[in-house]
Amino acid sequence: MTSRADPTSSGHLPGSAGYRRVVGALVASGVATFAMIYSTQALLPELVDEFGVSSAQSTLSVSLTTIGLGVTLLVAGPWSDVVGRTRLIHLSLAASTVVGVACAFAPSWPALLGLRLLQGIALAGLPAVATAYLREETHPSSHGRVAGLYIGGTALGGMAGRLVAGSVGEAAGWRWGLGANTAVGLVCALVVLALLPRSQHFSAAPTGAAALVRMARRALSDPALLALYAIGGCSSGAFVAVLNTLGFRLTGPPFDLGLGIASLVFLSYSLGSLGSALSGRLADHYGRRAVLPLACAVAVAGVLLTLPAYLPLVLVGLGLLTIGFFAVHGVASGWVPARAHAGGVSSGQAASLYLFAYYLGSSVFGSLGGAAWTGAGWPGVVTLSTVLLLAAALLAQRLRRTPTLLTGPR
């Protein structure tokens, strides 16, 4: 897996065939990953009825998946620095698809939770290496743009997974909803197998526990990286808290929508794809430091607009929240490997730590969103999400004063 490329080469240029293959494969992988991660989110009301659990307990079918994924990232990232990026991507997609089939046949609530935890573990290989692979295999001038496109793929996956599961689940039951989502993941895995170029600029990192400890220490010693990790955790927690409880709000009074109709609100994810792609281009042009605080502000405005019990305003607010969140995530996740590389830190290690914080935030605060809904209704959910997004905005402002380690996008 060591590099056999021309040493003067600096990665696939935008417009080249290799660049299109990289983007196509990573977008498809993002779709598969996030379709499977959040496959139960649109089905939470049905899972409550099927298994007799509370709304807060039902969110465990999402949170356990993200917990399993987040913890495994701490191993998958460093492992990818040794065994290579593409091998881990293919293994992750294949294993998670197999577990997804098993989820559709889960005989009980504990069995479903156990399988969802296992699916999160299986999925960890892809997000652990995606941004590091993109930094290594694409030209530096396109790093912000291509990271935004990848995050756009994850947005499409989140949208497709919720829409497919919600519509099929309402028509044929939650098992068929999960099965249909797994079919989406399988198709995407085959696309990745056909398109993803082999690594040309990967060099294996030193092996051994001592080397891994040194890499981890470096990845935890840069204040800018620590701030980016925290931004990922806060922003994802705010977003997932809203989405975990939105179905309960829309299927209850005063809206009283059906499960399939309520799941259509996830069409807003298409705006997330546009937001992440646009923020990547803006980051390449104006710098990450300028774009990140603005993205946080858009997300805050969006979540506040969902407060009134007026459906059009809720939809507008959800759209703004989605645009802002995916812009934050696209800029921050692309910034992490660039900052790490400039500071002599393992890109895979730093990307894994960012995603660990991201999924820890989504797991913890996503479940707290269920508790906030039970205890204080929608105002409680909005308060939780707003506080988290304001914390992310403050950290983004602090990053504007952090010394730059490289030229180009900052």
Side-chain angles (χ1 to χ4, degrees):
M1 295 296 295
T2 55
S3 174
R4 294 188 300 273
D6 178 357
T8 63
S9 174
S10 54
H12 298 291
L13 284 164
S16 67
Y19 180 86
R20 288 191 292 271
R21 290 183 62 192
V22 167
V23 171
L26 267 294
V27 167
S29 68
V31 170
T33 302
F34 277 71
M36 288 188 278
I37 288 174
Y38 295 111
S39 59
T40 62
Q41 198 169 59
L43 299 169
L44 294 183
E46 184 158 326
L47 294 177
V48 167
D49 294 338
E50 173 74 15
F51 294 106
V53 297
S54 69
S55 57
Q57 289 173 322
S58 71
T59 62
L60 289 173
S61 65
V62 180
S63 296
L64 284 176
T65 305
T66 54
I67 287 172
L69 190 153
V71 172
T72 309
L73 283 168
L74 297 177
V75 178
W79 190 32
S80 77
D81 287 329
V82 176
V83 304
R85 317 293 190 201
T86 55
R87 184 182 305 173
L88 197 54
I89 288 173
H90 294 310
L91 177 63
S92 178
L93 288 175
S96 56
T97 301
V98 171
V99 179
V101 173
C103 287
F105 291 94
S108 65
W109 179 244
L112 178 61
L113 293 183
L115 287 168
R116 288 288 289 161
L117 175 65
L118 183 60
Q119 190 169 33
I121 293 170
L123 281 166
L126 189 136
V129 306
T131 55
Y133 174 89
L134 290 172
R135 190 205 63 78
E136 292 165 355
E137 303 301 326
T138 59
H139 193 270
S141 66
S142 68
H143 283 170
R145 184 187 325 173
V146 76
L149 290 171
Y150 165 66
I151 298 303
T154 69
L156 288 176
M159 178 181 72
R162 292 166 172 93
L163 288 174
V164 169
S167 57
V168 175
E170 184 178 41
W174 67 270
R175 296 184 188 277
W176 284 101
L178 291 185
N181 238 10
T182 303
V184 172
L186 176 60
V187 170
C188 291
L190 294 175
V191 171
V192 174
L193 184 63
L195 290 183
L196 188 68
R198 291 177 59 85
S199 295
Q200 296 294 307
H201 300 276
F202 170 77
S203 295
T207 59
L212 292 178
V213 169
R214 284 196 301 271
M215 286 192 293
R217 187 182 299 119
R218 290 179 180 176
L220 292 169
S221 62
D222 180 3
L225 286 176
L226 293 176
L228 288 168
Y229 303 157
I231 287 171
C234 289
S235 61
S236 67
F239 190 59
V240 173
V242 168
L243 294 190
N244 274 355
T245 52
L246 187 62
F248 296 109
R249 189 188 189 201
L250 294 179
T251 55
F255 302 113
D256 294 317
L257 302 179
L259 185 63
I261 296 298
S263 67
L264 291 178
V265 302
F266 296 117
L267 286 169
S268 64
Y269 264 60
S270 59
L271 298 175
S273 299
L274 293 174
S276 62
L278 177 60
S279 68
R281 287 182 176 272
L282 292 174
D284 282 337
H285 188 71
Y286 296 106
R288 298 181 177 102
R289 297 165 190 266
V291 176
L292 194 55
L294 179 60
C296 291
V298 171
V300 170
V303 75
L304 292 175
L305 280 176
T306 67
L307 264 174
Y310 180 57
L311 187 57
L313 200 56
V314 171
L315 297 179
V316 171
L318 180 62
L320 286 175
L321 171 62
T322 304
I323 291 170
F325 165 71
F326 278 103
V328 170
H329 181 36
V331 173
S333 63
W335 196 346
V336 165
R339 175 84 183 187
H341 178 70
V345 178
S346 161
S347 296
Q349 179 83 69
S352 292
L353 287 169
Y354 170 81
L355 288 169
F356 171 74
Y358 176 95
Y359 289 112
L360 179 65
S362 71
S363 301
V364 172
F365 296 120
S367 290
L368 283 178
W373 167 257
T374 301
W378 192 249
V381 176
V382 169
T383 299
L384 172 64
S385 296
T386 301
V387 169
L388 290 170
L389 290 170
L390 288 174
L394 289 174
L395 289 167
Q397 280 296 115
R398 288 188 60 184
L399 281 171
R400 293 175 67 90
R401 301 189 296 272
T402 303
T404 302
L405 298 182
L406 73 167
T407 57
R410 298 181 296 278

